Amino acid sequence: MNSVDELLKKTTEATLLRFISIGSVDDGKSTLIGRLLHDAKGIYEDQLAAARKATKNIGGGEVDYSLLTDGLKAEREQGITIDVAYRYFSTPNRRFIIADAPGHEQYTRNMITGASTASLAIILIDARLGVLTQTKRHTFIASLLGIPHLVVAVNKMDLVNYDQAVFNQIREDYGAFAAKLNFKDLVFIPISALKGDNVVEASESMPWYVGPTVLNHLETVYIESDRNLIDFRLPVQTVIRPDLNFRGYAGQLAGGVVRVGHEVMALPSGRVSKVKKIVTYDGELEYAFPPQSVTICLEDHIDLSRGGMLVHPNNLPRMDQEIEAMLVWMDDEPLQPGKAYLVKHTTNRVRGAVSTLHYRVDPNTLHREEAQSLAPNEIGRVTLDLAAPLICDEYTRNRTTGSFILIDLLTNATVAAGMIIERARHRATAPSPAHLRREHSLVTPEDRVSFFGQRPVTLWLTGLSGSGKSTIAYQLEQRLLADGYAAYVLDGDNLRHGLNRNLGFTADDRQENIRRVAEVAHLFNEAGLLVITSLISPFRAHRELARQAIGADRFIEVFVDAPLAVCEQRDPKGFYRKARAGEIANFTGVTMAYEPPEKPEIHLPTHQMEVKQAVEAIIDHLRSQGVILPRAPVTENGL
Amino acid sequence: MKRFFRLWPKTVGVSRKGALNRRRVRQNGERMQETYRISNLKMLEAESLQIIRETAAEFERPVMLYSAGKDSSVMMRLAQKAFYPGKIPFPLLHVDTTMKFPEMYEFRDRMQRETGVEMRVYINREGVDAQANPWDLGTVKCCSLMKTQGLLRALTEGGYDVALGGARREEERSRAKERIFSFRGRAGQWDPRRQRPELWSLYNCQVDKGESMRAFPLSNWTELDVWQYIHLEQIPIVPLYFAREHEVVERDGQLIPIGAMTRLKPGEKSVRMKCRFRTLGCYPCTGAVRSEARTVEEIIQEMMVARQSERVTRVIDHDCDGSMEQKKREGYF
């Protein structure tokens, strides 16, 4: 019985990864899946025997693994994949659900079906053909559907003599295209699905490749942070009322954590109550999180039914009757702007029409084109006018509350998939509300300078993780206070616990992170304080935004400079180790570039100096710039 | 203002320490945080509950197909969970071919008594009157009449617009292609080339009068998941799944049990041997496998070394290449 318990324990600890294999026709998707299943011992012998038998009928030699996955007769006869097939296999560490998607453009809607629930995509490229239109199209769709992790498998390496130059060229071509899109991580692997090179076992034919095999990567890619545990959302599926004493709202959590005793708000009514209990067949829970399916009882009887949503009152979704979205058209009948469709969103159904078609995207070039309609498989940005407001979030924040489908009212066909986007172009560039008037303080900046004995500036410390930013920042803060100056450190990591807790590490979130820190620094400077920020802030453009927000005359860029090797050796927080192990995506210096300042006001090569020297160098600069006015050191007893 | 600066150095030391402590506490607090991880089985369960609740909410006359098999037992438990502490808000339907194992009928009636679910039984009278059996009709015709036609008639006569079924994608390659909510035309047929796209967990449940859907809450479960779940949840199952001595005849590599009406072909001899059933259908067409497993744990152990998929013991699947797809097109589950 021991082994059963062990197995069950392993199952409990194992994580689940849903992935999709995509790419152009004949790039070998089904073959790769067949190979994975076969080599991971996931294929039962009789299924293998059936495939062998069928191969003989077609007259092939080696076992054709695609015959294992192409489940429809028409597919096997034509040798193509028409519809997405789901396959299951597991290794001791992870369970996998594979969506094997068709490559033909006419079956794109079936590919999207598989992509919508995947958190990783393997995109196959035929080494002989390189990056094709369909490759780009699928990559764009994968990005649009918010698949965070991408693996580019350059297949059929055996047919190009395992040539590294071919692989490098494709990596360069593809990288240039993918750079314009939004993926958490991107990995390139040269493989031969047919021969098994780098699929499960490392290839002996490509000693020049030192990265993981496909299965290796699938087993280790870090997916824990893919879920939204911040914004509590419970779309109500049904109300359970077995008798007069029990009234429970049943649904599957789409985000955040909910707890007994928490204050919650019912939407759309806006009524507030508290969570009385969280009920399941297996007993009551203290708290619940996605993707749990639970039933929530509230302290008060309030108006809430299917289509409504429970949220936290201090973290509200949008309630918009007009939404902007990216739309993938899937029906043979093209989009008709102005025509009413049924919008299905979470557990809600509402009528709506496309009021504006802003543009169509060419997935090949990512260019925006003017369009009157969307034909099958075309993608565009639209504004939808709805008969009632949707309780929703942006798709990039929440794949469940940010997605919807359009249904034709006459044919009942699912005609389009939609992903809700922000209406404003960007938070940072959104104009300030016109109706608000600025109030003016009676205290002038000069008053503050004379009060504190200092001219407020922001010392913007930038550099790699482990370069010494925080150490210098805190020592400098202590030194300044000891000398009688008012200074405060804004630490990037610390702020992510509070003010910036809802931000991730995508390019957009990083920019928003910088914007908020810069705004806070600006306020502190306005209050008269010296500010020391400690953020990696890897991008020049972002630091430029900070300079503008804070004011060029108050912004002092400090480049805390140490070679990557030194930082990695210091690794005070163990981040480099994790990043190398693939547990942290987009880690500066490892998987993402750092753009050093071109003309920093202060340059501190920390591998060649002591912390004290670095602090002195900054103090000297502040003195020379007249930021801090000379003052006698204050003694211990305050005299 | 002078006093303000004089006092500063002292307060500085204190607040600085305080800041450090707070950070440490916060870090510790995070380390001690509750986990937000659930097992794979619980993830599958959560998905299934969502599907079952959607089915109940979106359709007018839902029904859950019940076969007394292990997948049915799991599905029934999931339905109980989905509406707990309420009752399952739809009936269960058993399409009875009249040729199931006697133990299955006993088990079905016991479950009905114990759980109080509403169990409806449908038998295709046309088939019974014609005395349909696989020995005279052949397995294809018998199955089409008693199962496929029986199911379609039961659904039409009951006016059901959706039927929940326990099919899993892992079972067979054409099932691997099927949607969780699968559309059926007026004659109950499946058109694999015109399936509705199915995105996220947003199910298009729109059907016109006369049309219907099949919903498969166990789509993403594997055979091993089902057994592990039965083990963890202590779900009752038909005893035929456990090994004991059965009288069987070896035919085309299958161990066919000898039932009340089984006819032996010339030259065939029945033998007694220890075996069990991996799947349960009609007794003339369900093969047994040699096994010693007498408990769920032992079955799971056997599974871990199993090298044959479960449907290998279903004679009807092997009639010809793509025979499951063919049956499904005609309306078979």
Side-chain angles (χ1 to χ4, degrees):
Chain A
M1 297 319 99
N2 259 345
S3 51
V4 175
D5 290 341
E6 263 166 45
L7 179 81
L8 287 172
K9 194 162 170 278
K10 263 190 179 161
T11 313
T12 310
E13 283 162 8
T15 46
L16 175 73
L17 176 69
R18 287 180 186 236
F19 70 93
I20 184 173
S21 63
I22 49 179
S24 196
V25 189
D26 292 332
D27 282 350
K29 290 179 300 298
S30 297
T31 311
L32 174 69
I33 304 292
R35 169 62 74 175
L36 269 175
L37 291 170
H38 179 259
D39 286 9
K41 308 283 185 286
I43 294 174
Y44 294 116
E45 273 175 9
D46 61 323
Q47 290 178 349
L48 189 64
R52 277 208 190 93
K53 204 167 122 195
T55 308
K56 267 185 213 139
N57 289 345
I58 291 171
E62 232 174 303
V63 175
D64 182 352
Y65 289 105
S66 64
L67 293 173
L68 289 169
T69 52
D70 286 339
L72 303 176
K73 240 179 151 177
E75 295 180 314
R76 292 193 292 280
E77 282 162 9
Q78 295 174 49
I80 57 162
T81 309
I82 294 173
D83 211 330
V84 57
Y86 295 91
R87 289 276 153 180
Y88 304 82
F89 77 102
S90 51
T91 63
N93 307 320
R94 212 164 246 189
R95 245 196 80 135
F96 301 95
I97 300 179
I98 318 168
D100 182 16
H104 280 83
E105 185 178 338
Q106 68 188 105
Y107 304 125
T108 300
R109 58 187 197 163
N110 295 332
M111 175 246 164
I112 293 172
T113 291
S116 67
T117 50
S119 54
L120 179 144
I122 299 179
I123 185 147
L124 276 112
I125 296 179
D126 187 328
R128 297 167 304 173
L129 305 175
V131 180
L132 301 172
T133 308
Q134 193 66 350
T135 320
K136 291 184 181 176
R137 175 178 194 87
H138 278 179
T139 305
F140 174 58
I141 292 171
S143 148
L144 199 64
L145 282 161
I147 299 178
H149 312 282
L150 191 66
V151 177
V152 182
V154 180
N155 192 21
K156 308 193 185 180
M157 286 301 292
D158 53 318
L159 299 181
V160 295
N161 298 319
Y162 300 107
D163 187 353
Q164 185 177 7
V166 173
F167 176 70
N168 286 347
Q169 185 59 48
I170 291 175
R171 184 164 64 180
E172 208 170 290
D173 294 349
Y174 187 87
F177 178 76
K180 301 175 208 161
L181 303 166
N182 224 338
F183 294 102
K184 259 191 189 170
D185 55 58
L186 177 58
V187 173
F188 292 86
I189 306 176
I191 67 164
S192 164
L194 198 67
K195 308 272 181 199
D197 293 281
N198 287 335
V199 177
V200 173
E201 304 290 337
S203 169
E204 287 176 10
S205 310
M206 292 177 275
W208 46 266
Y209 174 74
V210 292
T213 66
V214 173
L215 185 64
N216 252 199
H217 183 69
L218 292 176
E219 276 198 290
T220 53
V221 61
Y222 186 71
I223 50 173
E224 286 300 302
S225 59
D226 294 350
R227 252 180 324 167
N228 180 332
L229 289 171
I230 294 158
D231 315 311
F232 167 57
R233 305 281 186 264
L234 184 94
V236 175
Q237 282 189 280
T238 181
V239 183
I240 295 176
R241 270 178 308 176
D243 54 59
L244 289 172
N245 301 320
F246 189 96
R247 188 187 185 90
Y249 303 97
Q252 183 173 27
L253 268 92
V257 179
V258 67
R259 216 171 288 277
V260 173
H262 260 179
E263 200 163 73
V264 289
M265 183 185 273
L267 293 175
S269 75
R271 294 286 303 277
V272 173
S273 181
K274 273 191 180 149
V275 176
K276 188 166 147 195
K277 50 186 178 178
I278 303 171
V279 178
T280 76
Y281 180 93
D282 306 297
E284 290 183 16
L285 303 176
E286 272 302 303
Y287 61 97
F289 52 91
Q292 287 183 314
S293 282
V294 296
T295 299
I296 290 181
C297 298
L298 303 178
E299 295 282 359
D300 314 278
H301 276 237
I302 55 173
D303 177 26
L304 180 61
S305 56
R306 179 172 168 85
M309 200 183 285
L310 277 175
V311 302
H312 281 316
N314 55 1
N315 181 337
L316 297 178
R318 293 162 42 181
M319 291 220 340
D320 291 342
Q321 200 158 346
E322 190 184 73
I323 52 168
E324 277 198 29
M326 295 303 290
L327 210 60
V328 184
W329 197 258
M330 303 189 290
D331 200 42
D332 295 339
E333 200 64 40
L335 161 73
Q336 288 182 40
K339 176 183 166 178
Y341 296 96
L342 191 65
V343 181
K344 182 156 188 192
H345 170 262
T346 62
T347 58
N348 203 2
R349 278 184 302 191
V350 55
R351 282 187 187 214
V354 171
S355 59
T356 316
L357 173 56
H358 298 280
Y359 54 79
R360 177 173 59 209
V361 183
D362 178 348
N364 199 18
T365 57
L366 303 181
H367 287 160
R368 297 164 180 188
E369 305 160 345
E370 235 178 87
Q372 305 305 315
S373 175
L374 292 176
N377 303 319
E378 287 189 337
I379 296 154
R381 179 173 177 146
V382 299
T383 300
L384 274 167
D385 250 335
L386 305 164
L390 286 191
I391 308 163
C392 61
D393 294 287
E394 280 104 45
Y395 184 74
T396 49
R397 274 191 81 80
N398 194 314
R399 272 170 104 171
T400 307
T401 56
S403 58
F404 63 87
I405 53 172
L406 291 189
I407 298 170
D408 190 289
L409 285 163
L410 222 69
T411 64
N412 289 337
T414 307
V415 294
M419 286 134 289
I420 297 168
I421 46 183
E422 241 175 320
R423 223 162 355 155
R425 283 173 57 79
H426 195 279
R427 285 171 282 213
T429 54
S432 26
H435 59 279
L436 293 183
R437 194 166 59 87
R438 281 184 186 274
E439 295 290 353
H440 293 285
S441 170
L442 299 174
V443 180
T444 65
E446 288 73 24
D447 291 340
R448 296 180 206 271
V449 169
S450 71
F451 179 85
F452 285 108
Q454 62 194 32
R455 193 167 61 81
V457 294
T458 294
L459 291 150
W460 192 275
L461 273 54
T462 170
L464 293 167
S465 178
S467 59
K469 295 183 301 298
S470 294
T471 313
I472 292 171
Y474 285 116
Q475 298 246 354
L476 177 65
E477 181 189 46
Q478 190 179 31
R479 168 70 194 277
L480 284 167
L481 286 169
D483 287 353
Y485 302 103
Y488 187 70
V489 173
L490 294 177
D491 182 275
D493 286 356
N494 287 2
L495 290 171
R496 280 185 180 272
H497 287 295
L499 176 66
N500 294 336
R501 186 162 50 190
N502 60 340
L503 298 178
F505 292 89
T506 59
D508 274 359
D509 278 4
R510 278 178 191 268
Q511 180 171 340
E512 173 65 3
N513 185 39
I514 301 285
R515 187 188 73 84
R516 290 187 196 172
V517 175
E519 288 291 349
V520 172
H522 174 71
L523 287 174
F524 280 27
N525 282 168
E526 286 287 300
L529 304 178
L530 298 172
V531 176
I532 308 156
T533 69
S534 171
L535 289 89
I536 298 174
S537 42
F539 301 121
R540 265 179 220 129
H542 290 179
R543 294 195 298 266
E544 198 43 49
L545 288 175
R547 187 186 291 269
Q548 283 166 18
I550 290 164
D553 55 334
R554 285 177 174 172
F555 188 86
I556 300 175
E557 190 170 37
V558 183
F559 182 24
V560 184
D561 184 14
L564 180 62
V566 175
C567 296
E568 191 160 1
Q569 203 202 336
R570 291 175 184 164
D571 204 12
K573 298 171 183 171
F575 287 157
Y576 284 96
R577 201 172 33 75
K578 284 186 186 159
R580 293 284 180 204
E583 289 169 37
I584 305 178
N586 287 353
F587 192 74
T588 309
V590 179
T591 46
M592 213 181 61
Y594 175 80
E595 301 173 349
E598 274 161 341
K599 271 188 223 151
E601 272 81 6
I602 304 173
H603 181 206
L604 305 170
T606 59
H607 56 297
Q608 294 164 354
M609 63 201 302
E610 296 288 325
V611 181
K612 268 192 177 165
Q613 291 174 288
V615 171
E616 272 318 311
I618 297 174
I619 297 275
D620 284 346
H621 181 89
L622 295 179
R623 283 210 183 103
S624 72
Q625 297 297 309
V627 169
I628 51 176
L629 311 170
R631 181 181 295 138
V634 187
T635 52
E636 196 54 50
N637 58 11
L639 292 169
Chain B
M1 200 184 283
K2 238 180 192 169
R3 210 173 141 239
F4 181 76
F5 278 110
R6 244 183 240 150
L7 287 173
W8 205 318
K10 275 191 178 169
T11 45
V12 163
V14 174
S15 72
R16 180 78 188 113
K17 245 184 223 161
L20 274 174
N21 287 340
R22 268 200 300 282
R23 249 205 327 279
R24 219 170 280 144
V25 167
R26 214 183 268 163
Q27 278 171 4
N28 281 341
E30 245 155 58
R31 227 173 281 135
M32 294 185 301
Q33 226 173 28
E34 53 214 2
T35 60
Y36 301 127
R37 282 177 68 163
I38 54 174
S39 74
N40 289 302
L41 281 178
K42 281 286 172 192
M43 265 170 117
L44 289 171
E45 182 191 81
E47 182 187 64
S48 301
L49 297 193
Q50 192 256 352
I51 294 164
I52 294 171
R53 286 166 171 174
E54 283 301 289
T55 311
E58 287 265 335
F59 292 88
E60 280 175 27
R61 286 182 67 85
V63 70
M64 178 176 274
L65 296 181
Y66 181 80
S67 73
K70 62 181 194 307
D71 301 315
S72 281
S73 296
V74 166
M75 194 163 59
M76 190 167 134
R77 171 63 58 86
L78 291 169
Q80 287 176 308
K81 290 194 174 196
F83 305 103
Y84 177 85
K87 282 205 167 87
I88 301 175
F90 41 74
L92 274 65
L93 174 66
H94 183 214
V95 177
D96 183 6
T97 61
T98 69
M99 268 167 287
K100 302 290 176 188
F101 292 89
E103 291 91 332
M104 294 170 74
Y105 294 113
E106 281 164 33
F107 182 80
R108 177 193 70 193
D109 296 341
R110 195 189 110 203
M111 289 317 289
Q112 182 184 12
R113 276 196 312 275
E114 288 178 4
T115 61
V117 294
E118 186 188 344
M119 183 79 69
R120 297 180 184 176
V121 178
Y122 187 90
I123 296 172
N124 188 6
R125 281 293 150 203
E126 192 194 12
V128 174
D129 292 345
Q131 293 182 320
N133 69 71
W135 304 287
D136 294 324
L137 278 183
T139 54
V140 177
K141 277 189 180 162
C142 180
C143 200
S144 162
L145 194 60
M146 296 310 291
K147 285 180 91 166
T148 309
Q149 289 310 313
L151 172 68
L152 292 178
R153 284 184 174 200
L155 295 180
T156 312
E157 287 175 26
Y160 304 114
D161 52 359
V162 65
L164 285 151
R168 292 178 280 108
R169 285 171 174 159
E170 180 217 33
E171 281 180 84
E172 201 272 339
R173 61 183 170 182
S174 72
R175 282 191 170 161
K177 296 263 165 180
E178 192 154 9
R179 304 285 187 250
I180 291 175
F181 281 81
S182 187
F183 179 77
R184 294 292 191 277
R186 284 198 159 74
Q189 77 285 9
W190 181 54
D191 185 353
R193 303 202 63 159
R194 296 197 54 83
Q195 295 199 84
R196 289 178 178 172
E198 189 170 82
L199 288 103
W200 303 289
S201 48
L202 280 176
Y203 303 112
N204 176 354
C205 299
Q206 300 299 118
V207 290
D208 287 338
K209 214 166 171 53
E211 298 168 342
S212 64
M213 294 200 101
R214 307 287 178 268
F216 302 108
L218 301 184
S219 284
N220 287 321
W221 294 57
T222 65
E223 189 188 7
L224 189 57
D225 295 327
V226 167
W227 280 113
Q228 288 183 345
Y229 194 70
I230 288 170
H231 174 66
L232 284 175
E233 301 278 326
Q234 302 182 316
I235 296 171
I237 49 168
V238 182
L240 288 167
Y241 285 112
F242 303 117
R244 67 168 167 84
E245 282 219 338
H246 286 277
E247 192 163 354
V248 297
V249 60
E250 205 163 342
R251 188 181 290 167
D252 306 328
Q254 303 267 10
L255 299 175
I256 305 295
I258 305 294
M261 288 159 56
T262 305
R263 294 175 211 166
L264 289 179
K265 289 179 186 167
E268 279 183 344
K269 249 185 94 177
S270 66
V271 289
R272 287 190 74 79
M273 70 168 67
K274 210 158 197 193
C275 53
R276 68 176 193 88
F277 296 89
R278 280 182 77 182
T279 68
L280 291 175
C282 300
Y283 72 81
C285 296
T286 305
V289 289
R290 283 192 177 83
S291 168
E292 296 287 332
R294 283 162 311 171
T295 62
V296 176
E297 287 96 323
E298 284 173 4
I299 289 172
I300 294 175
Q301 272 178 326
E302 249 182 36
M303 291 279 319
M304 289 159 70
V305 290
R307 281 277 144 259
Q308 300 236 306
S309 80
E310 57 190 310
R311 290 206 73 91
V312 79
T313 58
R314 287 297 185 87
V315 178
I316 53 166
D317 290 359
H318 303 285
D319 293 337
C320 55
D321 181 40
S323 61
M324 172 69 91
E325 182 185 340
Q326 192 56 40
K327 278 198 280 289
K328 285 168 75 72
R329 280 169 175 271
E330 290 162 8
Y332 179 72
F333 227 75

